[in-house]
Amino acid sequence: MKINLFAIALFMLAIHNVTAQSTFDKWPAIKEFHSVMSQTFHPAEEGNLQPIKTRSEELMNKASALLKTGIPEEFGTAAVYASAEKLQLKSKALHKLVLAKGSDAEITKSLTELHDVFHDIVGLCSEKH
């Protein structure tokens, strides 16, 4: 399962590499979110939940910043706004789960769902190019 998740992540990175890079350049808040997401999600894929357990609040704050700092006009579709709101809600739920000392399985599931929403946003922004 770990290999499959890793292969999927590499595939998604390859697909979005060029457009994601330009998306990240144009939208610093999504780049900052991605930085924390990658530093917490990839260890979780290997069974190490310590990074997300110690950085869930930071991840939540980065998700919140996406809406507070504003979505660049070229990405400002209803779908991107809806996904950014979903990202914010799911990051809050993940942080609450960590604070409540949820099970590793629950935390992993919540983090994976959050990661999927992040990739939805990047994909929606890539469609604009």
Side-chain angles (χ1 to χ4, degrees):
M1 185 68 168
K2 290 179 187 175
I3 294 171
N4 290 338
L5 289 175
F6 183 71
I8 290 169
L10 285 177
F11 177 73
M12 293 298 291
L13 183 62
I15 288 174
H16 297 296
N17 191 31
V18 173
T19 51
Q21 185 60 44
S22 63
T23 299
F24 294 159
D25 289 341
K26 294 174 183 178
W27 191 2
I30 198 81
K31 182 178 183 176
E32 291 177 19
F33 179 87
H34 175 255
S35 177
V36 179
M37 172 57 79
S38 68
Q39 293 169 17
T40 56
F41 180 75
H42 297 300
E45 288 180 301
E46 301 300 320
N48 179 6
L49 296 180
Q50 196 56 40
I52 191 57
K53 288 179 179 180
T54 58
R55 298 183 74 187
S56 63
E57 183 175 17
E58 181 183 4
L59 194 62
M60 177 186 69
N61 291 337
K62 297 293 183 189
S64 182
L66 294 179
L67 293 170
K68 287 181 182 172
T69 60
I71 296 172
E73 187 176 333
E74 68 185 281
F75 305 133
T77 65
V80 171
Y81 274 99
S83 292
E85 288 173 358
K86 186 176 181 181
L87 192 81
Q88 186 176 24
L89 292 172
K90 286 197 169 288
S91 67
K92 284 181 183 178
L94 173 59
H95 181 58
K96 287 181 182 179
L97 185 61
V98 168
L99 291 177
K101 301 199 184 306
S103 72
D104 286 357
E106 291 171 318
I107 292 170
T108 300
K109 181 179 183 230
S110 182
L111 180 60
T112 300
E113 290 172 358
L114 187 64
H115 182 261
D116 291 346
V117 174
F118 165 74
H119 273 285
D120 290 343
I121 293 170
V122 172
L124 289 166
C125 291
S126 299
E127 289 173 7
K128 304 302 285 176
H129 299 279

